[in-house]
Structure formats: structure tokens, C-alpha cells
Amino acid sequence: MDTIHIRGIRAHCLIGVFDWEKQAPQPIDMDLAIGCDLRPAGQTDDLKQTLDYKAMADDVTAWAQASRFELIEALAESLCDKLLQTYPLAQSVRLTLMKPHAVPYVDNVGLTIERQRAQSDHKN
């Protein structure tokens, strides 16, 4: 499987378990690695045969900014689900999500999750 990388996506969203975190949007940094078959795009030089990086970055940013979660785990799960539902060419999504300064004496906290399209969802 081939991989498309989109790194350094920044969104501002309401996320956190403490009341002060729910008052103002906080930055969330995201990196995506999308597993897909890039051969058709490489052979045809046709954007319709690949994933539109800008559209994906725009969607992830908009979805994160519209979200309301307490846990970054829940936000990450939601974003992976939406990507797999919205982009049929995506076979897997690896998302790294970082929440800068969530802990006062730490630069970043975050996680990486990877989700794959269910076998029944694969297009033949």
C-alpha cells in the first residue's frame, strides 16, 4: 500500500476535561498518513485517481474546529472515521494528534492511532 502524508495541520477547537479548556479554542496539531493505491494516479497523471490533499486538510481542520470532545482520543477516533467515510480511496488512516501545552511543564502531549477500512467496505 502507498501512503500520502499531510503534516502540520493546525486547528483550534474546544477540547478538554477542565472547565477552562471548554471556554476558548485550543490549538491541535495533526499529521496524517493515508494508505491508498497511488498507481492509477501515477499512470494517468489524473487528480481524480488520487486523494486531494488540500480537500483532506480543509476537511480535517473544519471537522476538528466544529467538534466538542473532552478527550483527544475521541477527537482522533472521530476524525479517522470521517476520513474513511468521506474518501473511498483511503484504505487506512494513521493520525497523530498533538495538544501543545496541555500540561503546563510539557511542550506537547498526544497520540497516534491507525484505523483501516473494514474488509466489507473495500471496493473491487
Side-chain angles (χ1 to χ4, degrees):
M1 188 171 317
D2 305 313
T3 305
I4 289 176
H5 297 273
I6 306 173
R7 295 189 177 124
I9 302 168
R10 168 131 319 166
H12 290 82
C13 57
L14 294 175
I15 189 161
V17 296
F18 300 109
D19 288 339
W20 64 267
E21 292 178 299
K22 299 173 184 179
Q23 301 304 312
Q26 300 174 64
I28 296 292
D29 296 327
M30 298 170 281
D31 294 332
L32 291 172
I34 311 295
C36 57
D37 184 0
L38 296 176
R39 283 178 292 194
Q43 293 167 350
T44 64
D45 199 24
D46 182 357
L47 177 61
K48 293 177 188 150
Q49 300 296 318
T50 190
L51 295 166
D52 184 332
Y53 319 140
K54 182 182 180 330
M56 292 183 85
D58 289 348
D59 284 345
V60 167
T61 302
W63 295 332
Q65 289 179 172
S67 71
R68 302 291 181 268
F69 292 105
E70 290 193 350
L71 302 177
I72 59 175
E73 292 86 345
L75 173 59
E77 192 72 39
S78 172
L79 293 174
C80 285
D81 287 347
K82 287 178 186 264
L83 284 164
L84 290 171
Q85 289 172 16
T86 304
Y87 295 94
L89 292 177
Q91 296 304 309
S92 66
V93 176
R94 182 178 177 88
L95 170 66
T96 298
L97 192 150
M98 304 299 292
K99 187 176 174 187
H101 309 293
V103 177
Y105 52 88
V106 175
D107 285 342
N108 256 317
V109 297
L111 54 82
T112 299
I113 67 170
E114 186 166 354
R115 300 295 178 261
Q116 296 190 359
R117 183 175 302 285
Q119 287 297 323
S120 62
D121 292 344
H122 282 265
K123 298 204 178 227
N124 294 329

